[in-house]
Amino acid sequence: MSQRVLVVIDMQNDFITGSLGTKEAQAIVEKVCRKIQDFEGEVLFTLDTHGPDYLETQEGRLLPVAHCIKGTPGWELEPRVRALCRTTPIEKPTFGSTGLADVLQAKHLHGGGLDEVVFVGLCTDICVVSNALLVKARLPEVPLTVDASCCAGVTPEAHQHALAVLRSCLITVEE
């Protein structure tokens, strides 16, 4: 039995209203909620997850803004998104989640196949693009789609650049 999966990437408080929040991220929350509610298929969620030593990690040294520290309010899913979450989110300590790729690969190989994987969330130019490319490498024949209207980048320009990269890697971008 084939299926569709929606992957909601890092719709966490720190990326919306917290330490790395943007007005563009705030603007997509309702669209993401509608996408989750209307989606016909399984919905998976990821959580960017760091420890208290974040600033001592390679990422922390290169992006020295503490964010998504496990157990803090900034690490939590945005409340409207959290209200729609029916599965245990996949915690990921890095931009791309091998755990997410493992789950999707298992669904494809042992669950009857995947018709499509759709990505939404934050940030287009970091975690959305990283996860979409990682899944494309694992499942090259499964159609992947990114709903650009339900994503936001660190900046509007970075969002557009990431969409161009996704298109060049044969991932469908819906506007």
Side-chain angles (χ1 to χ4, degrees), residues 23 33 69 120 135 139 160 170 173:
K23 66 181 191 293
C33 289
I69 307 301
V120 300
V135 171
L139 300 170
Q160 290 303 319
L170 308 179
V173 175

Side-chain angles (χ1 to χ4, degrees), residues 2 24 28 32 35 37-38 58 82 120 134 146 154 162 170:
S2 295
E24 291 83 12
I28 69 163
V32 170
K35 185 85 172 185
Q37 291 169 321
D38 296 342
Q58 181 180 12
R82 184 176 61 235
V120 300
L134 184 57
V146 171
V154 172
L170 308 179

Side-chain angles (χ1 to χ4, degrees), residues 48 92-101 126-132 134:
D48 192 46
K92 57 183 198 55
T94 61
F95 300 147
S97 172
T98 55
L100 172 65
I126 302 174
C127 292
V128 174
V129 71
S130 295
N131 283 285
L134 184 57

Side-chain angles (χ1 to χ4, degrees), residues 33 36-37 45 77-87:
C33 289
I36 295 167
Q37 291 169 321
F45 297 79
L77 288 171
E78 194 278 341
R80 292 165 287 179
V81 174
R82 184 176 61 235
L84 299 170
C85 183
R86 305 286 180 255
T87 59

Side-chain angles (χ1 to χ4, degrees), residues 13-74:
N13 291 323
D14 270 348
F15 293 125
I16 298 168
T17 57
S19 59
L20 293 172
T22 65
K23 66 181 191 293
E24 291 83 12
Q26 293 169 28
I28 69 163
V29 173
E30 286 301 323
K31 293 176 192 174
V32 170
C33 289
R34 279 194 302 278
K35 185 85 172 185
I36 295 167
Q37 291 169 321
D38 296 342
F39 191 77
E40 293 183 16
E42 186 174 2
V43 182
L44 301 176
F45 297 79
T46 68
L47 290 174
D48 192 46
T49 302
H50 302 292
D53 66 339
Y54 172 76
L55 293 175
E56 299 163 22
T57 67
Q58 181 180 12
E59 180 183 328
R61 287 189 299 275
L62 297 172
L63 177 63
V65 179
H67 65 282
C68 298
I69 307 301
K70 187 171 182 169
T72 66

